[in-house]
């Protein structure tokens, strides 16, 4: 597996390369819109909402203690569904040029922001600060996970664009189900597998999900009529 520098290349260098490509393709605002959407989702959905719900409901606290596996899966699934609804709203309301390229760079921006914030920044901190635990293998695995997530975000954004351009809610449902299924499997695996096998299984889920969604995006764009990248403003 890649070492620490490899993790930094994937989680820091690659996002800036992708941003540079978006500038060259005149899609930098779309890339940054994807970044902003991820940050908003991280702050509201992943960090604030679970704490807010637990603070308001004693029943949820009891459920979390008695059924940690089910609780983890439900919270993750709800977050995935909420994230896809947020993606829909942002792309529908704020994405001016609703084109295939825009969908790809929007998803790339989301995935890049996640890689940079969740892996890149901690990896740099571990390198420059002796007080932060240094686990190259963990960061290397996380970078592979984030690379898969970039592909997932692209595929999910293409699905959402199809929903918006065709006004077909089946694509929104497919995005929600796909995202929820991946998060559910990842959340449940640690409760049913031996610790020695958990990391490999989780990476397998992310890689498979990323390849399937990115593959779908490629097929959708290249199918008859898909290459006509006309804006639907």
């Amino acid at each position: 597996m890649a070492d620490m520098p490899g993790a930094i290349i994937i989680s820091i260098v690659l996002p800036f390369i992708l941003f540079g490509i978006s500038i060259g393709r005149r899609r930098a605002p779309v890339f940054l819109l994807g970044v902003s959407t991820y940050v908003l989702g991280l702050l509201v959905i992943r960090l604030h909402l679970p704490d807010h719900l637990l603070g308001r409901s004693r029943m949820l606290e009891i459920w979390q203690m008695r059924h940690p596996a089910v609780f983890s899966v439900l919270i993750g699934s709800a977050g995935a569904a909420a994230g896809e609804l947020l993606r829909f709203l942002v792309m529908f309301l704020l994405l001016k040029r609703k084109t295939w390229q825009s969908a790809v760079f929007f998803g790339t921006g989301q995935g890049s922001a996640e890689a940079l914030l969740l892996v890149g920044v901690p990896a740099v901190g571990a390198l420059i600060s002796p007080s932060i635990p240094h686990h190259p293998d963990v960061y290397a695995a996380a970078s592979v996970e984030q690379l898969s997530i970039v592909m997932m975000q692209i595929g999910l954004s293409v699905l959402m664009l199809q929903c918006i351009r065709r006004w077909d809610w089946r694509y929104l449902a497919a995005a929600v189900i796909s995202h929820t299924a991946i998060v559910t499997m990842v959340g449940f695996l640690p409760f049913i597998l031996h610790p020695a096998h958990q990391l490999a299984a989780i990476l397998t889920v992310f890689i498979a999900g990323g390849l399937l969604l990115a593959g779908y995006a490629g097929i959708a764009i290249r199918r008859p009529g898909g290459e006509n990248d006309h804006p639907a403003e």
Side-chain angles (χ1 to χ4, degrees), residues 50 74 108 112-113 127 130-131 133 137 147 164 175 183 198 229:
L74 289 178
T108 302
S112 296
L127 283 177
S131 62
D137 288 343
L147 185 60
I164 294 170
V183 171
Q198 291 175 8
D229 196 17

Side-chain angles (χ1 to χ4, degrees), residues 47-147:
L47 300 181
H48 178 70
L49 186 58
D51 290 340
H52 178 76
L53 292 175
L54 287 174
R56 292 296 183 89
S57 175
R58 176 64 179 170
M59 183 179 296
L60 284 177
E61 290 185 10
I62 296 174
W63 184 268
Q64 183 185 27
M65 290 185 293
R66 292 182 177 178
H67 309 283
V70 176
F71 181 85
S72 176
V73 169
L74 289 178
I75 287 293
S77 301
E84 291 311 309
L85 293 177
L86 176 62
R87 187 197 309 271
F88 170 80
L89 290 174
V90 172
M91 291 182 68
F92 178 70
L93 297 174
L94 302 179
L95 194 63
K96 184 177 180 181
R97 298 186 63 199
K98 295 176 175 59
T99 64
W100 297 118
Q101 274 197 36
S102 294
V104 170
F105 280 109
F106 182 89
T108 302
Q110 284 189 298
S112 296
E114 183 168 351
L116 184 62
L117 293 176
L118 298 189
V119 180
V121 172
V124 171
L127 283 177
I128 64 178
S129 175
S131 62
I132 298 178
H134 185 95
H135 302 294
D137 288 343
V138 172
Y139 284 113
S143 67
V144 174
E145 172 188 317
Q146 294 303 321
L147 185 60

Side-chain angles (χ1 to χ4, degrees), residues 209-230:
L211 290 174
L212 287 172
L213 285 167
Y216 172 81
I219 293 172
I221 293 171
R222 288 175 172 79
R223 69 178 46 164
E227 70 278 3
N228 297 323
D229 196 17
H230 299 305

Side-chain angles (χ1 to χ4, degrees), residues 10-47:
I10 293 176
S11 60
I12 297 180
V13 177
L14 181 59
F16 281 101
I17 291 175
L18 294 173
F19 179 54
I21 294 174
S22 74
I23 294 174
R25 294 295 183 92
R26 298 181 179 179
R27 292 295 192 277
V30 176
F31 184 96
L32 294 176
L33 183 62
V35 171
S36 302
T37 302
Y38 171 76
V39 173
L40 177 62
L42 177 67
L43 294 176
V44 176
I45 297 174
R46 291 196 184 185
L47 300 181

